[in-house]
Amino acid sequence: MLYLKQERPGSRRDLWIQSLDGLRHTALTDSGRLAGWNRHQVEGPLNGACISPDGTRVAYAERHPVASDRAGLAPVQAWNVLLVVNADGTGRRILVDLRDLPSLPEGTRASSFSWSSDGNQLAYALELPGPGCELLKLYRVDAGSGQVTDVPLNPTQGKSQLLVWSAPRNELVLTLQCGSTGAQRLGVLDVSTGHLREHPAEWPAVSPDGAHALVATPAPAGRKASLLTLDDAFTPESSLGTFTGRLNWYNQRPGGLFTAVTPEPPTTECAGVTPPPRRFHRWDPQTRTHPLVRQDATAFTVLAFSPDDTQALVNILVGRDDSQPGFCGEGWLQRLHLVQRDDLESDLPREQLLARSTPLGPSTPWPGPSHSSYIGWLH
């Protein structure tokens, strides 16, 4: 698995590979210049690196110093060099060097990037400053030759997150948002024509093939979760009601695992420091049902499934931290584990599941950002 490692104290960031037994760690980059950031209201791993669909290559972004910042790139959370490397560390090369561009408006930000599903191209975004909201520009680069071409796009505003690029349909699924608290939109872009269709969405979870998405919209009793087909009309497939939670899509088999969370009342004194009750439901797109597969899933936070769907990367609550007592009692500790999917989607008690899973790191406080460095699975 690929993850980001940052020196503390210090600002050096690099990509590292961890074996599935949790014992071996190997540096994939050693420049210390990796760009990494998260986007508000977007599910998924850290930006700054993107794994090819077959898991054999990694595209990653770095920020390199320049004698004069003539390209106008914003210095905060920006990149100016996009590289690609094989998963074994060979074949490292620069794909895009924004330092070679003519002058851009001051404050231009290089944003997210995504592989096409056939692994032949990457798309990347530039966000130009505008009145009230950023102006989006999209480009694609051939992964072999490095040739860059513009993606035709009518004037579009918003900070972007590129999610899935389906090569058979030549459609790029992305999110757009104006301001840190602005409404989020889910967009589907025809890469050939530049036609963009949009739909309001909060915290979208897009299927690996880019054909479906779980989106949330405000409702009186909480957020209403709906599954959409990403066609011209964003046709609703099913409603999960006012469930609060997230959907982890399977990679090979249809459907996914939905974590339903029972929200705490806002008047609860210890809200946010006590894990809320959770349940697992398996979403079946053929029957459009979501049967319960684990009644008590409070201890588990699912990050992702392995490419063959046999294993899951899961943060598991492993106990209380008596070194940090507080008004609401001792804090909780969590630990990242590799878990068999069949065990996770069963009524196997937590203690037995822990005994049959593989720990991948030390325990860390809950809640906390211990999952934010995870990027994906390599082959």
Side-chain angles (χ1 to χ4, degrees):
M1 286 180 294
L2 187 69
Y3 68 98
L4 177 144
K5 182 179 179 180
Q6 181 169 348
E7 288 186 2
R8 297 188 184 279
S11 58
R12 290 182 58 88
R13 294 176 168 184
D14 278 300
L15 295 174
W16 283 70
I17 300 172
Q18 179 174 14
S19 61
L20 295 185
D21 58 11
L23 301 177
R24 298 185 305 279
H25 297 256
T26 306
L28 186 62
T29 69
D30 60 3
S31 69
R33 295 191 175 119
L34 185 82
W37 67 95
N38 285 110
R39 264 281 147 89
H40 179 65
Q41 283 194 333
V42 174
E43 294 281 4
L46 193 78
N47 285 275
C50 185
I51 300 173
S52 65
D54 63 1
T56 63
R57 291 167 293 168
V58 179
Y60 65 98
E62 292 188 345
R63 172 74 187 187
H64 287 245
V66 291
S68 62
D69 207 359
R70 58 186 177 84
L73 291 169
V76 179
Q77 295 185 335
W79 58 268
N80 55 16
V81 178
L82 182 64
L83 302 96
V84 65
V85 63
N86 295 329
D88 62 2
T90 64
R92 192 184 317 272
R93 56 197 171 90
I94 292 178
L95 270 184
V96 178
D97 194 337
L98 298 179
R99 296 172 298 177
D100 296 335
L101 290 178
S103 180
L104 291 171
E106 186 68 27
T108 296
R109 185 183 187 277
S111 184
S112 64
F113 45 94
S114 176
W115 288 89
S116 60
S117 60
D118 58 10
N120 293 331
Q121 300 181 84
L122 286 110
Y124 67 91
L126 294 183
E127 297 165 2
L128 281 64
C133 197
E134 295 79 1
L135 181 65
L136 181 65
K137 298 289 185 181
L138 291 178
Y139 303 85
R140 57 182 176 179
V141 53
D142 185 275
S145 67
Q147 181 178 359
V148 177
T149 55
D150 293 7
V151 175
L153 183 64
N154 291 329
T156 301
Q157 289 187 320
K159 294 180 179 179
S160 66
Q161 175 75 32
L162 310 187
L163 300 176
V164 179
W165 182 359
S166 169
R169 296 189 303 275
N170 206 20
E171 290 183 339
L172 178 63
V173 184
L174 67 157
T175 61
L176 294 165
Q177 187 177 26
C178 284
S180 60
T181 59
Q184 190 175 39
R185 299 116 63 199
L186 184 65
V188 181
L189 172 70
D190 186 314
V191 178
S192 299
T193 66
H195 175 66
L196 177 68
R197 54 186 189 273
E198 300 180 41
H199 188 278
E202 292 182 5
W203 302 94
V206 179
S207 61
D209 61 2
H212 309 275
L214 182 80
V215 303
T217 53
R223 293 188 303 161
K224 180 181 179 182
S226 302
L227 193 73
L228 306 178
T229 298
L230 300 185
D231 54 14
D232 289 345
F234 291 92
T235 303
E237 286 187 24
S238 180
S239 173
L240 297 180
T242 54
F243 281 177
T244 297
R246 60 176 294 177
L247 177 68
N248 293 96
W249 291 94
Y250 300 130
N251 295 293
Q252 301 296 331
R253 53 186 291 160
L257 185 69
F258 186 80
T259 302
V261 181
T262 302
E264 296 175 290
T267 56
T268 302
E269 289 182 331
C270 296
V273 297
T274 300
R278 302 181 185 184
R279 306 174 305 281
F280 286 158
H281 297 258
R282 183 186 294 117
W283 164 248
D284 186 338
Q286 297 176 339
T287 62
R288 297 188 177 184
T289 58
H290 41 85
L292 182 69
V293 295
R294 182 180 281 271
Q295 174 64 41
D296 184 6
T298 302
F300 308 108
T301 301
V302 182
L303 304 186
F305 290 107
S306 62
D308 62 2
D309 293 324
T310 62
Q311 301 175 91
L313 190 65
V314 186
N315 261 330
I316 305 179
L317 297 180
V318 293
R320 306 300 292 264
D321 181 8
D322 57 9
S323 67
Q324 299 290 332
F327 175 77
C328 298
E330 294 85 358
W332 289 87
L333 293 173
Q334 62 183 352
R335 194 174 188 185
L336 195 60
H337 285 76
L338 193 63
V339 180
Q340 293 297 313
R341 182 183 58 79
D342 289 342
D343 289 346
L344 182 69
E345 299 179 3
S346 72
D347 57 2
L348 194 71
R350 183 190 65 162
E351 291 73 17
Q352 294 183 36
L353 189 144
L354 278 170
R356 296 170 61 164
S357 64
T358 303
L360 296 179
S363 298
T364 58
W366 179 96
S370 62
H371 66 281
S372 62
S373 62
Y374 162 74
I375 295 172
W377 304 71
L378 294 175
H379 177 67

